[in-house]
Amino acid sequence: IEEEGRIILRIVSTENKLRIIVEDDGTGMPDSRVKKLNRQFRNPENWGESSSAQNSGIALTNVNERIQLYFGMEYGLYIRSVAGIGTQVEILIPQKADLQVLEGKS
């Protein structure tokens, strides 16, 4: 089944932070799921909490953990979503991030 959809990519640069926003008009997620993911992102004690079930968010959690390990807890991912409307993922990193770290050459 072929369906149409949109993905919007926005980059907002400030003096010391870079916000990368990826947004879609897909099925979205229930509020409880969004809250659980954002809670995992903000609390290192919850790292690795994701189950192995499909759609557990483990890939997003891993990306968030790496960002926070490299740049600090004030950086990482934040999700907004409305079921039936779409999802927005915000990636926050330092504006002058070390390119070697981003390329995996640390």
Side-chain angles (χ1 to χ4, degrees):
I1 299 174
E2 200 171 306
E3 296 181 29
E4 289 187 28
R6 286 177 56 149
I7 295 177
I8 300 168
L9 177 66
R10 292 181 298 182
I11 299 173
V12 179
S13 176
T14 65
E15 188 173 316
N16 54 8
K17 292 184 181 174
L18 190 64
R19 291 175 54 215
I20 303 165
I21 302 161
V22 182
E23 187 174 340
D24 71 26
D25 62 352
T27 59
M29 291 185 273
D31 192 49
S32 61
R33 181 77 186 112
V34 173
K35 286 180 182 176
K36 180 180 179 187
L37 283 168
N38 284 323
R39 197 170 38 249
Q40 283 178 244
F41 295 162
R42 297 296 158 248
N43 189 351
E45 294 171 8
N46 292 333
W47 288 0
E49 175 183 293
S50 294
S51 69
S52 61
Q54 186 177 15
N55 298 322
S56 67
I58 197 162
L60 290 174
T61 302
N62 285 340
V63 168
N64 183 69
E65 288 174 23
R66 286 181 177 261
I67 291 170
Q68 290 178 337
L69 286 170
Y70 285 125
F71 304 120
M73 292 300 295
E74 66 269 28
Y75 300 103
L77 303 181
Y78 185 78
I79 296 180
R80 294 172 192 86
S81 187
V82 178
I85 304 284
T87 300
Q88 181 183 80
V89 177
E90 181 177 323
I91 305 160
L92 186 63
I93 60 173
Q95 171 66 6
K96 299 189 187 319
D98 182 352
L99 290 179
Q100 288 184 339
V101 170
L102 293 175
E103 294 172 356
K105 298 178 183 175
S106 53

